Amino acid sequence: MCDLSLISLIVIDVDGTLTDAGLYYSDGNVETKKFCTKDAAGFFTAHWAGIETMILTGRECEATARRMAEMKAKYICQDVKDKYGFLKNFLNKRGIGCERVAYIGDDLNDLYPMSLAGFVCCPADACDEIKLIADYISPVNGGYGVVRDVVSYILKQRNEWEDAYKAVYGIPKGE
């Protein structure tokens, strides 16, 4: 496991990580998704701590774009069929080493790109292959606040969690 104080980018899968892996279609053939509001604390505290967030998903969905804009994700990368190649190129262009990258994913399409991250995380209901390589397995299932859990874990290891959530939610120090 890498030094978590170095993490400056968290790469986050959508289906099965930010959502419960269900796909919902309306009668008008519009795809919708259910996101957990608890993950907002993860995004906002990560931003407070100077950690950028990247959404990296193989699907494209307007609901994802809308929710991730609300979460102020720095990079929203949808319809990425080759996650490994995309992420490798992204990191190389910016000179970001794997020791600065955390990756949260749940299924086989995340397995290879996770090799580019120094800290690999997954939800409790991730596939076995992902769990075998994970540095941290959240006790939370995908779609139920796993991003919040992972970010709080990282920031607790950095002794930044309490300052982060108090600053984000306007709680005075000492309260």
Side-chain angles (χ1 to χ4, degrees):
M1 182 166 65
C2 72
D3 177 355
L4 297 182
S5 69
L6 299 176
I7 299 296
S8 62
L9 174 68
I10 300 176
V11 178
I12 306 165
D13 174 51
V14 176
D15 297 315
T17 302
L18 280 168
T19 74
D20 62 4
L23 294 176
Y24 307 92
Y25 294 97
S26 71
D27 288 340
N29 206 28
V30 174
E31 182 178 327
T32 62
K33 297 181 185 289
K34 177 181 73 84
F35 295 97
C36 180
T37 59
K38 292 178 183 179
D39 281 328
F43 279 93
F44 298 145
T45 55
H47 300 158
W48 177 90
I51 300 171
E52 295 180 334
T53 52
M54 171 190 274
I55 302 309
L56 185 58
T57 180
R59 298 182 60 80
E60 186 161 1
C61 178
E62 181 56 37
T64 297
R66 179 178 171 190
R67 181 63 176 160
M68 294 306 101
E70 291 172 351
M71 296 298 97
K72 304 203 182 324
K74 174 105 182 203
Y75 308 102
I76 304 170
C77 310
Q78 297 196 74
D79 198 26
V80 177
K81 301 308 180 203
D82 176 11
K83 287 185 174 185
Y84 178 87
F86 179 91
L87 185 57
K88 183 175 183 175
N89 185 49
F90 177 91
L91 298 174
N92 286 340
K93 279 185 175 178
R94 288 162 180 78
I96 300 171
C98 66
E99 73 281 356
R100 295 180 52 202
V101 179
Y103 193 119
I104 311 170
D106 72 303
D107 213 343
L108 297 174
N109 63 333
D110 296 307
L111 191 61
Y112 191 34
M114 284 177 158
S115 68
L116 299 171
F119 187 59
V120 173
C121 313
C122 67
D125 59 348
C127 72
D128 290 340
E129 292 83 355
I130 298 294
K131 288 180 179 180
L132 284 173
I133 66 163
D135 297 302
Y136 177 71
I137 301 172
S138 172
V140 179
N141 283 344
Y144 290 91
V146 70
V147 172
R148 180 206 187 279
D149 178 68
V150 168
V151 172
S152 70
Y153 178 84
I154 292 169
L155 295 184
K156 285 175 184 176
Q157 301 307 306
R158 292 162 54 149
N159 294 314
E160 296 177 353
W161 175 244
E162 187 173 346
D163 288 343
Y165 77 74
K166 285 185 175 184
V168 167
Y169 293 103
I171 301 168
K173 290 187 178 191
E175 296 292 318

